[in-house]
Amino acid sequence: MKIGVLTGGGDCPGLNPVIRAVVRASLKLGHETIGFRHGWKGVLENITMPLGREEVSGILHRGGTILGTSRTNVYKVENGEQQALETFEKNGLDALIPIGGEDTLGVAVKLAKAGVKLVGVPKTIDNDLMGTDFTFGFDTSVNVAMESIDRLHTTAESHSRVLVVEVMGRHAGWIAWYAGVAGGGDVILVPEHPFSVEDVCAQIQRRHDTGKNFSIVVVSEGAKVATEAATDEDGSYVLSSMKKDAFGHVMLGGVAKVLADEIEDRLGFETRHTVLGHIQRGGSPTAFDRVLGTRYGVRAAELVHEQRFGRMVALQGNKIVDIDINDISGAIKELDPDLYKVAEYFVD
Ligand code: F6P
């Protein structure tokens, strides 16, 4: 079989281990692989690259993706589906392995309905994809965020400051919670629980009343401010821009600055903010992400070999399983409420 491979959406440490594993396992199973450059853009424009043993040599430890990526949406382009099908035909493709998050795999779901034989590999540093306990890249970003919080800790203490750290996490607070708990954050704000500035200030004030001279606030970029009639699902984003990407998502960012200004104004404590941004997505994957990516890649190649299409590989417990790729659509895997409760014991 000839198998196409692509990576779409935001990049993420662990993509190269997946690509390497898909290629190495496919070759061993008697198949050929080619790469599409820049996600679905490469499919629409038929931009391919050879993807054999040589191309994947020495990439296990490298961050990013040797294939390149984009947020191109096949279904936002006129005749996009037709163009994609033509590209597959021209290249004599028998199967496709798209590696991506909800948007990239959302396109894959539609192409599968149009007859494309594919097996998806889940990817996002946000760890918010349904059907899988962990996505690769998440562990690396948590470690980067934790190390940054450790560094902010010492300078916050020296200067008696409040430091507000903004981490990634569009719809779910996995990164904020893990990095916040591992780094000893004093306030952790996640999209699943809209916050009020009054409550955040009261928590910081209580902590300082017990003699502490500094505080660390960890906030997800997608954390929302509670509106008057707020339930846990409601709330509004705090944004510095109204720009949207090809999938219609607003570009998040800005909550840390707004919150830091409010804390300083209301409490009078000197307050600074830090936005970790793409630092969390760059660099070498951790051992956990290299191993998870390798296991996903091998299983995806095996599923293609077994001609079990329309599936997505997933981690459940410590086992790699496969699920119907349609099951990922429409819902977000929110932060486990039991985890959230753990952090509440550390609130002053
Ligand atoms: O891929 C997920 C993610 O890292 C989100 O956490 C973040 O909101 C978004 O991507 C940033 O996207 P971009 O790299 O396009 O700015």
Side-chain angles (χ1 to χ4, degrees), residues 175-231:
I175 299 177
W177 189 88
Y178 266 76
V181 168
D186 304 300
V187 180
I188 301 173
L189 304 173
V190 297
E192 292 86 343
H193 298 268
F195 67 91
S196 84
V197 178
E198 288 74 22
D199 286 351
V200 171
C201 288
Q203 279 175 40
I204 294 170
Q205 185 62 62
R206 278 200 300 275
R207 184 177 143 79
H208 287 230
D209 288 347
T210 66
K212 293 288 181 191
N213 68 335
F214 73 98
S215 290
I216 306 283
V217 180
V218 183
V219 57
S220 298
E221 61 180 354
K224 296 168 188 160
V225 173
T227 50
E228 263 180 33
T231 64

Side-chain angles (χ1 to χ4, degrees), residues 225-242:
V225 173
T227 50
E228 263 180 33
T231 64
D232 267 4
E233 292 84 46
D234 297 329
S236 356
Y237 289 128
V238 182
L239 302 171
S240 61
S241 146
M242 289 310 288

Side-chain angles (χ1 to χ4, degrees), residues 11-66:
D11 74 337
C12 167
L15 283 168
N16 284 328
V18 180
I19 297 167
R20 172 179 174 270
V22 165
V23 171
R24 294 285 297 266
S26 299
L27 290 175
K28 203 144 234 177
L29 292 166
H31 307 296
E32 186 193 342
T33 42
I34 64 160
F36 287 102
R37 304 293 320 273
H38 319 302
W40 295 117
K41 181 179 181 348
V43 170
L44 289 173
E45 298 175 17
N46 195 14
I47 314 169
T48 62
M49 67 175 264
L51 197 59
R53 176 87 198 234
E54 201 44 47
E55 286 75 24
V56 299
S57 171
I59 66 168
L60 180 63
H61 63 285
R62 279 170 54 189
T65 159
I66 59 163

